[in-house]
Amino acid sequence: QVRLEESGGGLVQAGGSLRLTCAASGRPIAAYAMGWFRQAPGKERVFVATISGSGRDTEYADSVKGRFTISRDNAKNTVYLQMNNLKPEDTDNYYCAQTAGWGVNPIFYEFWGPGTQVTVSS
């Protein structure tokens, strides 16, 4: 019954910014960690960022540290990914996911959104 839906993707020039939104429904998200992952055609899905249920703990992939910020608003059942100083290598389909635990491996995440495309031009 849990549903996740990403939005906010699009085309942006290198150095620009985008904010992705993950809207959740089916159950309150406060008890669950939420994560962002990305995947390009022919590549494996990789970790981008995760945030604890309370929002106090976050973790980022080395490739996005200092550029991306994950946040959440539990009252709105919504998670965000603010992406600044985007690079062409950030071009991917971005996925929102939910886990009852904590981790950077997608195997730990039970629910996934359908993804939103981010394209960064040089």
Side-chain angles (χ1 to χ4, degrees):
Q1 194 72 10
V2 174
R3 295 182 62 190
L4 306 175
E5 185 173 4
E6 306 92 342
S7 62
L11 175 64
V12 65
Q13 294 184 3
S17 298
L18 287 172
R19 188 178 76 161
L20 305 184
T21 297
C22 174
S25 62
R27 65 184 181 183
I29 66 170
Y32 304 96
M34 304 290 293
W36 288 96
F37 296 78
R38 63 189 185 187
Q39 184 176 24
K43 302 292 185 179
E44 295 184 352
R45 188 167 297 185
V46 299
F47 169 75
V48 175
T50 191
I51 185 168
S52 64
S54 69
R56 291 191 172 187
D57 298 309
T58 59
E59 188 171 349
Y60 298 91
D62 289 342
S63 60
V64 307
K65 285 181 179 177
R67 300 190 297 121
F68 291 11
T69 302
I70 188 171
S71 61
R72 65 193 296 156
D73 186 340
N74 286 340
K76 297 181 179 179
N77 284 327
T78 303
V79 182
Y80 306 96
L81 184 68
Q82 179 66 46
M83 305 185 295
N84 297 326
N85 192 24
L86 284 161
K87 304 175 180 180
E89 51 262 44
D90 294 319
T91 294
D92 271 316
N93 200 15
Y94 283 71
Y95 298 88
C96 176
Q98 181 183 103
T99 179
W102 178 260
V104 302
N105 193 316
I107 196 173
F108 297 124
Y109 289 78
E110 182 178 7
F111 298 102
W112 295 84
T116 186
Q117 181 66 41
V118 171
T119 302
V120 184
S121 62
S122 61

